[in-house]
PDB file of all heavy atoms in Angstrom:
ATOM      1  N   SER A  64    -110.890 -41.775 -46.306  1.00 97.00           N
ATOM      2  CA  SER A  64    -111.814 -41.839 -45.168  1.00 97.00           C
ATOM      3  C   SER A  64    -112.551 -40.507 -44.970  1.00 97.00           C
ATOM      4  O   SER A  64    -113.585 -40.463 -44.308  1.00 97.00           O
ATOM      5  CB  SER A  64    -111.040 -42.190 -43.899  1.00 97.00           C
ATOM      6  OG  SER A  64    -110.006 -41.237 -43.680  1.00 97.00           O
ATOM      7  N   GLN A  65    -112.025 -39.418 -45.543  1.00 98.00           N
ATOM      8  CA  GLN A  65    -112.672 -38.120 -45.366  1.00 98.00           C
ATOM      9  C   GLN A  65    -113.817 -37.952 -46.351  1.00 98.00           C
ATOM     10  O   GLN A  65    -113.799 -38.518 -47.444  1.00 98.00           O
ATOM     11  CB  GLN A  65    -111.648 -36.997 -45.569  1.00 98.00           C
ATOM     12  CG  GLN A  65    -110.595 -36.972 -44.479  1.00 98.00           C
ATOM     13  CD  GLN A  65    -109.637 -35.823 -44.664  1.00 98.00           C
ATOM     14  OE1 GLN A  65    -109.005 -35.682 -45.700  1.00 98.00           O
ATOM     15  NE2 GLN A  65    -109.522 -34.991 -43.652  1.00 98.00           N
ATOM     16  N   THR A  66    -114.822 -37.150 -45.947  1.00 97.00           N
ATOM     17  CA  THR A  66    -116.047 -37.051 -46.747  1.00 97.00           C
ATOM     18  C   THR A  66    -116.230 -35.696 -47.423  1.00 97.00           C
ATOM     19  O   THR A  66    -117.206 -35.499 -48.140  1.00 97.00           O
ATOM     20  CB  THR A  66    -117.269 -37.329 -45.860  1.00 97.00           C
ATOM     21  OG1 THR A  66    -117.210 -36.446 -44.734  1.00 97.00           O
ATOM     22  CG2 THR A  66    -117.275 -38.773 -45.377  1.00 97.00           C
ATOM     23  N   GLY A  67    -115.336 -34.745 -47.191  1.00 97.00           N
ATOM     24  CA  GLY A  67    -115.475 -33.436 -47.829  1.00 97.00           C
ATOM     25  C   GLY A  67    -115.270 -33.521 -49.336  1.00 97.00           C
ATOM     26  O   GLY A  67    -114.673 -34.463 -49.849  1.00 97.00           O
ATOM     27  N   ALA A  68    -115.774 -32.500 -50.056  1.00 97.00           N
ATOM     28  CA  ALA A  68    -115.604 -32.452 -51.511  1.00 97.00           C
ATOM     29  C   ALA A  68    -114.117 -32.378 -51.857  1.00 97.00           C
ATOM     30  O   ALA A  68    -113.330 -31.794 -51.115  1.00 97.00           O
ATOM     31  CB  ALA A  68    -116.332 -31.239 -52.068  1.00 97.00           C
ATOM     32  N   LYS A  69    -113.751 -32.982 -52.999  1.00 98.00           N
ATOM     33  CA  LYS A  69    -112.367 -32.908 -53.468  1.00 98.00           C
ATOM     34  C   LYS A  69    -112.231 -31.699 -54.388  1.00 98.00           C
ATOM     35  O   LYS A  69    -112.447 -31.794 -55.588  1.00 98.00           O
ATOM     36  CB  LYS A  69    -111.985 -34.195 -54.201  1.00 98.00           C
ATOM     37  CG  LYS A  69    -111.888 -35.405 -53.270  1.00 98.00           C
ATOM     38  CD  LYS A  69    -111.449 -36.648 -54.022  1.00 98.00           C
ATOM     39  CE  LYS A  69    -111.295 -37.815 -53.082  1.00 98.00           C
ATOM     40  NZ  LYS A  69    -110.952 -39.073 -53.778  1.00 98.00           N
ATOM     41  N   GLN A  70    -111.911 -30.544 -53.807  1.00 98.00           N
ATOM     42  CA  GLN A  70    -111.811 -29.306 -54.571  1.00 98.00           C
ATOM     43  C   GLN A  70    -110.337 -29.001 -54.859  1.00 98.00           C
ATOM     44  O   GLN A  70    -109.483 -29.111 -53.989  1.00 98.00           O
ATOM     45  CB  GLN A  70    -112.471 -28.178 -53.790  1.00 98.00           C
ATOM     46  CG  GLN A  70    -113.917 -28.521 -53.406  1.00 98.00           C
ATOM     47  CD  GLN A  70    -114.729 -27.319 -52.997  1.00 98.00           C
ATOM     48  OE1 GLN A  70    -115.440 -26.738 -53.811  1.00 98.00           O
ATOM     49  NE2 GLN A  70    -114.625 -26.935 -51.750  1.00 98.00           N
ATOM     50  N   LYS A  71    -110.115 -28.557 -56.101  1.00 98.00           N
ATOM     51  CA  LYS A  71    -108.740 -28.407 -56.596  1.00 98.00           C
ATOM     52  C   LYS A  71    -108.002 -27.235 -55.927  1.00 98.00           C
ATOM     53  O   LYS A  71    -108.554 -26.157 -55.757  1.00 98.00           O
ATOM     54  CB  LYS A  71    -108.792 -28.185 -58.108  1.00 98.00           C
ATOM     55  CG  LYS A  71    -107.445 -28.030 -58.769  1.00 98.00           C
ATOM     56  CD  LYS A  71    -107.613 -27.906 -60.286  1.00 98.00           C
ATOM     57  CE  LYS A  71    -106.305 -27.529 -60.946  1.00 98.00           C
ATOM     58  NZ  LYS A  71    -106.466 -27.416 -62.422  1.00 98.00           N
ATOM     59  N   THR A  72    -106.737 -27.471 -55.604  1.00 99.00           N
ATOM     60  CA  THR A  72    -105.851 -26.420 -55.087  1.00 99.00           C
ATOM     61  C   THR A  72    -104.534 -26.477 -55.846  1.00 99.00           C
ATOM     62  O   THR A  72    -103.947 -27.552 -55.991  1.00 99.00           O
ATOM     63  CB  THR A  72    -105.519 -26.638 -53.597  1.00 99.00           C
ATOM     64  OG1 THR A  72    -106.720 -26.833 -52.881  1.00 99.00           O
ATOM     65  CG2 THR A  72    -104.751 -25.451 -53.031  1.00 99.00           C
ATOM     66  N   THR A  73    -104.070 -25.322 -56.314  1.00 98.00           N
ATOM     67  CA  THR A  73    -102.714 -25.247 -56.864  1.00 98.00           C
ATOM     68  C   THR A  73    -101.927 -24.214 -56.051  1.00 98.00           C
ATOM     69  O   THR A  73    -102.492 -23.285 -55.476  1.00 98.00           O
ATOM     70  CB  THR A  73    -102.709 -24.846 -58.352  1.00 98.00           C
ATOM     71  OG1 THR A  73    -103.426 -23.628 -58.506  1.00 98.00           O
ATOM     72  CG2 THR A  73    -103.353 -25.925 -59.216  1.00 98.00           C
ATOM     73  N   ALA A  74    -100.630 -24.428 -56.002  1.00 99.00           N
ATOM     74  CA  ALA A  74     -99.753 -23.521 -55.243  1.00 99.00           C
ATOM     75  C   ALA A  74     -98.476 -23.278 -56.034  1.00 99.00           C
ATOM     76  O   ALA A  74     -98.055 -24.123 -56.834  1.00 99.00           O
ATOM     77  CB  ALA A  74     -99.421 -24.127 -53.883  1.00 99.00           C
ATOM     78  N   ARG A  75     -97.892 -22.115 -55.800  1.00 98.00           N
ATOM     79  CA  ARG A  75     -96.623 -21.752 -56.452  1.00 98.00           C
ATOM     80  C   ARG A  75     -95.741 -21.019 -55.456  1.00 98.00           C
ATOM     81  O   ARG A  75     -96.231 -20.398 -54.520  1.00 98.00           O
ATOM     82  CB  ARG A  75     -96.897 -20.834 -57.665  1.00 98.00           C
ATOM     83  CG  ARG A  75     -97.598 -21.559 -58.797  1.00 98.00           C
ATOM     84  CD  ARG A  75     -97.885 -20.659 -59.983  1.00 98.00           C
ATOM     85  NE  ARG A  75     -99.054 -19.840 -59.747  1.00 98.00           N
ATOM     86  CZ  ARG A  75     -99.719 -19.188 -60.706  1.00 98.00           C
ATOM     87  NH1 ARG A  75     -99.309 -19.252 -61.956  1.00 98.00           N
ATOM     88  NH2 ARG A  75    -100.773 -18.459 -60.419  1.00 98.00           N
ATOM     89  N   LEU A  76     -94.438 -21.077 -55.672  1.00 98.00           N
ATOM     90  CA  LEU A  76     -93.483 -20.360 -54.822  1.00 98.00           C
ATOM     91  C   LEU A  76     -92.515 -19.562 -55.685  1.00 98.00           C
ATOM     92  O   LEU A  76     -92.222 -19.953 -56.828  1.00 98.00           O
ATOM     93  CB  LEU A  76     -92.667 -21.335 -53.952  1.00 98.00           C
ATOM     94  CG  LEU A  76     -93.443 -22.074 -52.857  1.00 98.00           C
ATOM     95  CD1 LEU A  76     -93.898 -23.421 -53.332  1.00 98.00           C
ATOM     96  CD2 LEU A  76     -92.599 -22.219 -51.605  1.00 98.00           C
ATOM     97  N   LEU A  77     -92.023 -18.460 -55.116  1.00 98.00           N
ATOM     98  CA  LEU A  77     -91.011 -17.616 -55.754  1.00 98.00           C
ATOM     99  C   LEU A  77     -90.093 -17.076 -54.656  1.00 98.00           C
ATOM    100  O   LEU A  77     -90.436 -17.124 -53.481  1.00 98.00           O
ATOM    101  CB  LEU A  77     -91.666 -16.431 -56.468  1.00 98.00           C
ATOM    102  CG  LEU A  77     -92.479 -16.710 -57.738  1.00 98.00           C
ATOM    103  CD1 LEU A  77     -93.301 -15.465 -58.114  1.00 98.00           C
ATOM    104  CD2 LEU A  77     -91.560 -17.096 -58.902  1.00 98.00           C
ATOM    105  N   TRP A  78     -88.943 -16.543 -55.079  1.00 98.00           N
ATOM    106  CA  TRP A  78     -88.083 -15.886 -54.087  1.00 98.00           C
ATOM    107  C   TRP A  78     -87.393 -14.697 -54.716  1.00 98.00           C
ATOM    108  O   TRP A  78     -87.251 -14.602 -55.950  1.00 98.00           O
ATOM    109  CB  TRP A  78     -87.076 -16.859 -53.493  1.00 98.00           C
ATOM    110  CG  TRP A  78     -86.025 -17.428 -54.437  1.00 98.00           C
ATOM    111  CD1 TRP A  78     -86.251 -18.117 -55.593  1.00 98.00           C
ATOM    112  CD2 TRP A  78     -84.613 -17.383 -54.273  1.00 98.00           C
ATOM    113  NE1 TRP A  78     -85.068 -18.506 -56.159  1.00 98.00           N
ATOM    114  CE2 TRP A  78     -84.043 -18.081 -55.368  1.00 98.00           C
ATOM    115  CE3 TRP A  78     -83.772 -16.844 -53.307  1.00 98.00           C
ATOM    116  CZ2 TRP A  78     -82.659 -18.232 -55.526  1.00 98.00           C
ATOM    117  CZ3 TRP A  78     -82.399 -16.998 -53.462  1.00 98.00           C
ATOM    118  CH2 TRP A  78     -81.857 -17.684 -54.559  1.00 98.00           C
ATOM    119  N   ASP A  79     -86.997 -13.759 -53.836  1.00 98.00           N
ATOM    120  CA  ASP A  79     -86.105 -12.672 -54.255  1.00 98.00           C
ATOM    121  C   ASP A  79     -85.194 -12.348 -53.069  1.00 98.00           C
ATOM    122  O   ASP A  79     -85.110 -13.146 -52.129  1.00 98.00           O
ATOM    123  CB  ASP A  79     -86.902 -11.454 -54.787  1.00 98.00           C
ATOM    124  CG  ASP A  79     -87.781 -10.785 -53.749  1.00 98.00           C
ATOM    125  OD1 ASP A  79     -87.583 -11.033 -52.533  1.00 98.00           O
ATOM    126  OD2 ASP A  79     -88.666 -10.000 -54.135  1.00 98.00           O
ATOM    127  N   ASP A  80     -84.524 -11.191 -53.103  1.00 97.00           N
ATOM    128  CA  ASP A  80     -83.550 -10.901 -52.034  1.00 97.00           C
ATOM    129  C   ASP A  80     -84.214 -10.698 -50.677  1.00 97.00           C
ATOM    130  O   ASP A  80     -83.572 -10.882 -49.642  1.00 97.00           O
ATOM    131  CB  ASP A  80     -82.737  -9.649 -52.385  1.00 97.00           C
ATOM    132  CG  ASP A  80     -81.763  -9.925 -53.527  1.00 97.00           C
ATOM    133  OD1 ASP A  80     -81.446 -11.112 -53.742  1.00 97.00           O
ATOM    134  OD2 ASP A  80     -81.343  -8.958 -54.192  1.00 97.00           O
ATOM    135  N   GLN A  81     -85.482 -10.338 -50.657  1.00 97.00           N
ATOM    136  CA  GLN A  81     -86.149 -10.014 -49.391  1.00 97.00           C
ATOM    137  C   GLN A  81     -87.058 -11.110 -48.857  1.00 97.00           C
ATOM    138  O   GLN A  81     -87.156 -11.300 -47.649  1.00 97.00           O
ATOM    139  CB  GLN A  81     -87.016  -8.758 -49.599  1.00 97.00           C
ATOM    140  CG  GLN A  81     -86.257  -7.471 -49.691  1.00 97.00           C
ATOM    141  CD  GLN A  81     -87.246  -6.323 -49.788  1.00 97.00           C
ATOM    142  OE1 GLN A  81     -87.822  -6.084 -50.846  1.00 97.00           O
ATOM    143  NE2 GLN A  81     -87.476  -5.653 -48.675  1.00 97.00           N
TER     144      GLN A  81
END
Side-chain angles (χ1 to χ4, degrees):
S64 57
Q65 293 183 304
T66 54
K69 291 182 177 176
Q70 305 197 95
K71 181 176 171 180
T72 309
T73 55
R75 291 179 281 196
L76 292 95
L77 290 167
W78 65 303
D79 64 16
D80 289 339
Q81 285 184 283

